[in-house]
């Protein structure tokens, strides 16, 4: 992609001088709100604006006084890792009245605040929009009542509003993820993982109620992420007779060596007659119908609590910076907007279009038009639902496809799955999903142990539906994985493909998997055995695979890094000033260090992709020393393991220790393999599940296309692909075409999207830097997905 050199605009041209920004959190709290507040305050101060906290949401705006206070750089220090909202939130009846809004306007004008950044749910954002529409009328009233003079009214004639959605339910249309959703999933999955061990011991059935009055997102994704037996959500009420179906499914699963059942219910779950379905009703059903020992757990406010996940901190930090840019660029003619993420791309959407669509969902549900409701919820929700349906339904052998019309025999193709490279959390979720979707599509699935090494040694056996039960929550690689490449063993691998009649390959792994698929496709000229569809799914903590913005396992590693950094920072509280030097994994790829640094609030991050010399180290030390002379007690410096062969972690530690003498002392930590281990995060479980399902569906299509005269033959470029996430979509890319995008010596892609997050980290750490805003969100319109045409 050609760099848009000519159109690049840097926000040095956007000045906030003379502007005042108010930031408030409103409605129900959500983890990550503090990260958003911190980003707004620091970015606002950075561009030269004044930033004010509005405490206790709209209530504070109505009450005025000490509730509206000017924020300083230091006042948001150490709030990144705190859950909830530090500036308080309240539901405010008074703001709903005209009098209330008049008071609020008066209090804002007194401080010349004409830019508001509202972090809350759709109610809070709708209120903000109404406030903006009434603004000029409110000012006229204030002038008439003699509370403000004409000049003040003139100076504050326009009110600009930018919203960020903070809601754990993820119930706001137009955004893929709202701030707090990922953290709430973390809480739910922690609970489910804990419950599973006790349920396993006693062969129990657990019914879990999760939040989501009008939106089933949390229930749906947590069901996907833990492999629940049944899920009930408001957008997809079960058909009449669901009680028998559910009980049948539970007993089938028990018969298949499974010792427990998990049923997840959204608090707003309803049946097809709009009658609520309660957890107690389900418990009674299971007990009376099956006699299983059944327990109910209602998660309640646990889901809103705890520290924000790495994802929510990054999302909120990016959104906060984007919100300030949107306020600086706003004019009287631009509509109030919300900033949000689509894929991993920042976007701005007109606030009222999103609110309207969110209300349309409720309307569709009230009218029992549930398909429409799901479609309005957006792409991400629909994908989750479709994947859940794919995996939840287990076909009896008699139902497996028998396409005699197309193929001369039962279309059972043999598909092999293997893990290659270092273990990454979420690999097992991907294998489970691939096996089950493969079986549903009518294939025979084979598992290869220990990567290509096991392949040439013949460690290959059929893997059945029940064999992968309970795999989603397991870390590492159950199949076993090795870094061995296939090139030296092509003869033996070809022989094994012949022996087991393997018709397609799914390779889940890191950089070695990418190289492996390349080597196999290059060997097609010599070996017919490799002329089968093959697809690679990226799974590595380093996130260094060309052709994909994200890989399975990276999110879990980021959470391990941020959790550890939080603990390390906390260990210094109460001591004198201290700086920590922390080394992260990633080979030559600086993803973990950079994005981990953004999530943990690092002061400096050293990576290979951005060369640094002794002068940079020197200025970083000086910068930290200056900071430490203010009220800031702790510093955090991250270094990627291969960022520089001479400036080692020890060297940097010694340099900082020497230069910081008398101001701060230093400690160093090498995080090591703890970044690779642990139970996969909800994101990795879900990403692994969805991407593997998509890969298997691609394999099915390619097998159908390449089946000629009784055998599979595929030797075109587009039958050896990598499935990656690119900006907003999942894309299949021929591995041959990714060659040019790869730096093979350092095992990294030549262009990496996350490098544009580095300036954000520097701004939030008080460095003067150049931030390219040509990539920031342009105002788009909400796209309504049209009903799919039936072919």
């Amino acid at each position: 992609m050609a760099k848009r050199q000519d159109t690049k605009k840097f926000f040095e041209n956007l000045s906030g001088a003379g502007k005042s920004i108010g930031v408030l959190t409103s409605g129900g709290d959500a983890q990550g709100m503090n990260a958003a507040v911190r980003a707004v305050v620091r970015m606002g101060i950075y561009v030269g604006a004044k930033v004010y906290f509005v405490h206790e949401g709209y209530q504070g705006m109505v009450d005025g006084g000490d509730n509206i206070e000017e924020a300083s750089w230091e006042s948001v220090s150490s709030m990144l890792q705190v859950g909830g909202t530090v500036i308080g939130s309240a539901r405010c009846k008074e703001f709903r009245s005209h009098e209330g809004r008049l008071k609020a306007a008066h209090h804002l004008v007194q401080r010349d605040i004409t830019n508001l950044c509202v972090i809350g749910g759709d109610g809070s954002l709708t209120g903000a929009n109404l406030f903006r529409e009434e603004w000029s009328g409110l000012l006229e009233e204030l002038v008439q009542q003699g509370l403000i003079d004409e000049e003040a009214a003139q100076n504050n004639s326009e009110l600009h509003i930018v919203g960020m959605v903070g809601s754990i339910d993820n119930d706001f249309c137009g955004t893929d993820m709202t701030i707090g959703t990922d953290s709430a999933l973390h809480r739910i999955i922690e609970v489910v993982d804990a419950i599973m061990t006790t349920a396993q011991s006693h062969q129990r059935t657990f019914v879990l109620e999760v939040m989501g009055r009008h939106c089933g997102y949390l229930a749906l994704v947590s069901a996907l992420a833990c492999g629940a037996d049944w899920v009930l959500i408001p957008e997809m009420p079960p058909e009449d007779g669901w009680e028998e179906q559910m009980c049948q499914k539970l007993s089938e699963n028990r018969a298949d060596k499974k010792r427990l059942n998990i049923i997840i219910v959204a608090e707003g779950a309803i049946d097809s007659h709009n009658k609520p379905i309660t957890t107690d009703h389900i418990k009674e059903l299971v007990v009376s119908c099956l006699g299983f020992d059944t327990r109910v757990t209602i998660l309640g406010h646990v889901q809103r609590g705890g520290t924000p996940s790495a994802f929510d901190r990054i999302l909120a930090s990016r959104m906060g910076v984007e919100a300030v840019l949107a306020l600086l660029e706003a004019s009287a003619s631009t509509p109030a907007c919300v900033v949000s993420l689509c894929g991993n791309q920042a976007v701005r959407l007109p606030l009222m279009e999103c609110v309207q669509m969110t209300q349309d969902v409720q309307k569709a549900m009230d009218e029992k038009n549930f398909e429409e409701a799901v479609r309005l919820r957006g792409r991400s929700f629909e994908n989750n639902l479709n994947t859940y349906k794919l995996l939840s339904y287990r076909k009896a052998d008699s139902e497996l496809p028998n396409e005699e019309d197309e193929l001369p025999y039962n279309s059972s193709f043999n598909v092999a799955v293997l893990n290659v490279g270092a273990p990454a959390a979420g690999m097992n979720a991907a294998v489970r999903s691939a096996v089950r979707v493969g079986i549903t599509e009518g294939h025979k699935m084979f598992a290869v142990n220990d990567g290509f090494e096991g392949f040439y040694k013949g460690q290959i056996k059929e893997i059945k539906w029940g064999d992968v039960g309970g795999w989603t929550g397991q870390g590492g690689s159950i199949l076993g994985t090795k870094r061995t490449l296939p090139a030296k063993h092509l003869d033996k691998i070809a022989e094994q493909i012949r022996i087991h009649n393997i018709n397609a390959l799914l390779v889940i792994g890191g950089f070695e998997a990418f190289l492996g698929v390349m080597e196999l496709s290059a060997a097609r000229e010599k070996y017919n055995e490799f002329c089968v569809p093959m697809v690679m799914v990226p799974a590595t903590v380093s996130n260094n695979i060309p052709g994909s913005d994200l890989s399975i396992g990276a999110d879990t590693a980021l959470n391990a890094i941020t959790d550890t950094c939080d603990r390390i920072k906390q260990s210094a509280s109460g001591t004198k000033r201290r700086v920590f030097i922390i080394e992260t994994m990633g080979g030559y790829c600086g993803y973990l260090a950079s994005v981990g640094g953004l999530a943990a609030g690092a002061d400096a991050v050293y990576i290979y992709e951005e060369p640094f010399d002794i002068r940079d180290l020197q200025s970083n030390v000086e910068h930290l020393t200056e900071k430490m002379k203010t009220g800031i007690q702790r510093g955090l410096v991250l270094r990627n393991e291969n960022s520089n062969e001479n400036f080692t972690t020890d060297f940097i530690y010694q340099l900082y220790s020497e230069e910081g003498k008398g101001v701060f002392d230093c400690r160093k930590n090498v995080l090591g393999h703890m970044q690779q281990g642990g139970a996969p995060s909800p994101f990795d479980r879900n990403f692994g599940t969805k991407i593997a399902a998509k890969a298997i569906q691609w394999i099915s299509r390619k097998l159908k296309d390449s089946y000629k005269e009784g055998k599979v033959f595929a030797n075109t470029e587009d039958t050896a692909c990598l499935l990656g996430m690119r900006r907003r979509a999942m894309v299949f890319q021929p591995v041959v075409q990714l060659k040019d995008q790869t730096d093979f010596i350092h095992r990294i892609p030549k262009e990496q999207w996350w490098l544009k997050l580095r300036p954000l980290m520097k701004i939030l750490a008080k460095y003067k830097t150049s931030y390219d805003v040509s990539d920031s969100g342009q105002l788009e319109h909400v796209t309504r997905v049209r009903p799919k045409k039936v072919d």
Side-chain angles (χ1 to χ4, degrees), residues 624-643:
L624 253 179
T625 313
E626 283 311 301
K627 253 181 161 169
M628 290 281 182
K629 288 177 181 163
T630 63
I632 289 173
Q633 295 285 319
R634 300 189 283 287
L636 190 63
V637 175
L638 268 58
R639 177 187 173 274
N640 160 271
E641 55 185 355
N642 289 352
S643 54

Side-chain angles (χ1 to χ4, degrees), residues 136-202:
S136 50
L138 293 170
L139 292 191
E140 276 171 34
E141 275 183 66
L142 291 171
V143 172
Q144 281 161 12
Q145 293 178 18
L147 293 170
I148 62 171
D149 55 23
E150 279 291 349
E151 191 187 353
Q154 281 288 263
N155 294 343
N156 297 290
S157 60
E158 281 174 27
L159 178 68
H160 300 305
I161 281 172
V162 171
M164 279 186 265
V165 192
S167 151
I168 64 166
D169 295 342
N170 203 16
D171 55 358
F172 194 77
C173 291
T175 67
D176 272 2
M177 284 291 263
T178 57
I179 296 168
T181 305
D182 188 64
S183 302
L185 286 171
H186 272 259
R187 294 302 93 78
I188 295 170
I189 292 302
E190 283 157 18
V191 171
V192 176
D193 284 355
I195 279 177
M196 276 183 158
T197 54
T198 162
Q200 191 91 26
S201 313
H202 296 278

Side-chain angles (χ1 to χ4, degrees), residues 394-412:
R394 180 178 181 176
K395 295 185 175 174
D397 293 337
S398 57
E399 291 179 83
L400 290 173
N402 184 4
E403 305 177 8
E404 272 155 9
D405 51 345
E406 258 174 74
L407 303 174
Y409 68 104
N410 188 344
S411 79
S412 170

Side-chain angles (χ1 to χ4, degrees), residues 182 185-187 189 221 225 555 680-687:
D182 188 64
L185 286 171
H186 272 259
R187 294 302 93 78
I189 292 302
V221 175
D555 184 70
S681 65
F683 181 90
D684 278 331
R685 297 181 192 197
N686 193 11
F687 183 50

Side-chain angles (χ1 to χ4, degrees), residues 479-504:
L479 288 184
T481 176
K482 284 265 168 52
R483 290 178 182 268
T484 314
L485 290 170
K488 293 194 176 107
H489 312 283
L490 292 173
D491 283 342
K492 287 185 175 166
I493 293 176
E495 188 188 350
Q496 290 299 333
I497 288 181
R498 252 196 332 277
I499 294 171
H500 296 277
N501 188 22
I502 303 291
N503 308 117

Side-chain angles (χ1 to χ4, degrees), residues 482-783:
K482 284 265 168 52
R483 290 178 182 268
T484 314
L485 290 170
K488 293 194 176 107
H489 312 283
L490 292 173
D491 283 342
K492 287 185 175 166
I493 293 176
E495 188 188 350
Q496 290 299 333
I497 288 181
R498 252 196 332 277
I499 294 171
H500 296 277
N501 188 22
I502 303 291
N503 308 117
L505 284 181
L506 169 61
V507 185
I508 301 165
F511 206 81
E512 285 84 6
F514 171 60
L515 294 174
V517 172
M518 265 174 135
E519 291 176 2
L520 292 182
S521 68
R524 281 173 165 178
E525 289 172 19
K526 203 174 156 199
Y527 299 89
N528 268 353
E529 288 83 354
F530 300 138
C531 296
V532 295
M534 44 181 106
V535 60
M536 181 221 154
V537 165
T540 163
V541 295
S542 308
N543 194 23
N544 62 335
I545 308 297
S548 192
D549 291 352
L550 287 176
S551 56
I552 300 168
D555 184 70
T556 306
L558 278 180
N559 278 295
I561 292 168
T562 42
D563 290 351
T564 312
C565 288
D566 289 352
R567 288 188 178 194
I568 288 173
K569 274 162 84 171
Q570 200 168 28
S571 73
S573 65
T575 60
K576 52 190 182 304
R577 299 190 172 91
R578 182 165 283 177
V579 172
F580 293 96
I581 317 289
I582 295 176
E583 181 186 303
T584 67
M585 284 170 107
Y588 283 96
C589 177
Y591 176 81
L592 287 181
S594 295
V595 182
L598 186 59
D603 293 279
V605 175
Y606 301 117
I607 60 170
Y608 165 77
E609 290 90 343
E610 202 173 277
F612 56 97
D613 59 21
I614 195 73
R615 285 178 295 280
D616 297 312
L617 290 170
Q618 180 64 31
S619 74
N620 292 152
V621 176
E622 285 164 9
H623 185 257
L624 253 179
T625 313
E626 283 311 301
K627 253 181 161 169
M628 290 281 182
K629 288 177 181 163
T630 63
I632 289 173
Q633 295 285 319
R634 300 189 283 287
L636 190 63
V637 175
L638 268 58
R639 177 187 173 274
N640 160 271
E641 55 185 355
N642 289 352
S643 54
N644 187 302
E645 57 180 332
N646 295 316
F647 297 143
T648 59
T649 304
D650 282 331
F651 177 89
I652 292 176
Y653 163 68
Q654 285 160 347
L655 178 83
Y656 274 74
S657 300
E658 180 58 36
E659 296 291 318
K661 265 190 189 155
V663 185
F664 56 79
D665 63 357
C666 276
R667 293 286 182 276
K668 71 167 196 265
N669 265 61
V670 176
L671 296 185
H673 278 75
M674 57 155 289
Q675 296 162 83
Q676 233 172 36
S681 65
F683 181 90
D684 278 331
R685 297 181 192 197
N686 193 11
F687 183 50
T689 300
K690 283 200 287 200
I691 197 168
K694 204 173 166 76
I696 290 289
Q697 289 173 314
W698 177 87
I699 282 180
S700 297
R701 284 198 305 277
K702 291 291 176 197
L703 283 170
K704 212 166 162 184
D705 297 345
S706 57
Y707 185 78
K708 306 266 181 338
E709 288 141 34
K711 67 175 202 296
V712 172
F713 185 79
N715 67 347
T716 49
E717 279 187 3
D718 65 346
T719 55
C721 281
L722 178 147
L723 170 55
M725 183 180 146
R726 279 280 172 101
R727 283 193 155 200
R728 300 187 184 187
M730 299 263 220
V731 202
F732 289 92
Q733 304 145 93
V735 285
V736 184
Q737 292 175 17
L738 292 170
K739 250 185 192 154
D740 299 341
Q741 301 175 25
T742 313
D743 168 354
F744 286 99
I745 296 167
H746 298 101
R747 299 159 57 100
I748 50 174
K750 287 178 184 169
E751 284 206 3
Q752 306 191 79
W753 70 273
W754 51 264
L755 282 167
K756 67 171 190 274
L757 299 182
R758 301 241 336 147
L760 283 195
M761 189 201 73
K762 291 177 185 170
I763 288 167
L764 296 176
K766 216 172 183 173
Y767 282 94
K768 286 279 172 244
T769 180
S770 176
Y771 181 50
D772 170 15
V773 292
S774 56
D775 201 59
S776 72
Q778 301 307 308
L779 189 67
E780 300 180 13
H781 290 283
V782 175
T783 46

